[in-house]
Amino acid sequence: MVNINNKSIGVLGGSFDPAHKGHLGITKIAIKKINLNKVIWLIAQKNPLKDKPFYSVAERLYKAKKLIKSSKKIKIMYLDKILGSSRSIDAINYLINKKKLKKIYFIIGSDNLIEFHKWKSWKKIVRLTKLTV
């Protein structure tokens, strides 16, 4: 496994309900355009700004793993049980403090940018990462 601590890492979070070719497409674009070494798909139990997910976490993890099976630069993580939270800021703090990641590109879709100011600690997310839309 590649040591990702000193690499450029993208983080794409969301409920992935389910993971689809759009997620894969923007991930591949980010890898190529920003020259990312790896992208972490952070699958959340629930998006605090959306309704209850259709698929269970287990089903979403399975579908995401199946979708990326040939992509060596994408890693799937589910941190909600460890963190007790689905909040992006908590996951970012974990990746920085526990996994010692230094150069994080936080990837969001333009649809999320509209409500980004409603996210918990959104200003801190911008300070800690390179926000990438």
Side-chain angles (χ1 to χ4, degrees):
M1 184 172 178
V2 175
N3 180 353
I4 61 175
N5 297 32
N6 295 317
K7 306 288 183 179
S8 294
I9 306 299
V11 173
L12 177 64
S15 53
F16 291 85
D17 191 29
H20 52 76
K21 290 181 181 178
H23 294 119
L24 190 57
I26 64 170
T27 300
K28 287 181 177 181
I29 290 169
I31 289 168
K32 185 176 180 178
K33 295 282 185 183
I34 309 169
N35 196 28
L36 298 173
N37 299 96
K38 199 156 283 287
V39 172
I40 298 169
W41 282 7
L42 276 179
I43 298 181
Q45 184 166 344
K46 182 186 179 314
N47 179 329
L49 300 177
K50 291 185 180 177
D51 293 331
K52 181 182 175 193
F54 182 77
Y55 290 102
S56 71
V57 171
E59 290 172 307
R60 289 183 277 139
L61 287 167
Y62 171 78
K63 290 175 183 292
K65 287 176 186 174
K66 188 174 176 183
L67 184 65
I68 66 149
K69 66 182 172 204
S70 64
S71 302
K72 296 185 186 303
K73 289 194 169 197
I74 305 172
K75 179 180 180 172
I76 295 172
M77 294 180 85
Y78 174 69
L79 298 175
D80 291 18
K81 283 189 178 183
I82 294 169
L83 303 175
S85 169
S86 291
R87 304 286 184 169
S88 296
I89 188 61
D90 297 327
I92 290 165
N93 282 327
Y94 174 84
L95 293 171
I96 291 169
N97 297 321
K98 298 291 185 193
K99 298 296 181 180
K100 306 299 181 199
L101 299 186
K102 293 177 174 67
K103 197 170 185 182
I104 298 174
Y105 290 81
F106 189 67
I107 304 165
I108 64 171
S110 58
D111 57 329
N112 283 313
L113 186 59
I114 295 166
E115 293 193 325
F116 188 66
H117 66 284
K118 295 180 183 178
W119 291 27
K120 180 182 176 193
S121 303
W122 68 272
K123 289 180 182 178
K124 188 173 180 186
I125 292 171
V126 173
R127 279 196 312 271
L128 294 174
T129 69
K130 294 179 185 334
L131 184 64
T132 308
V133 182

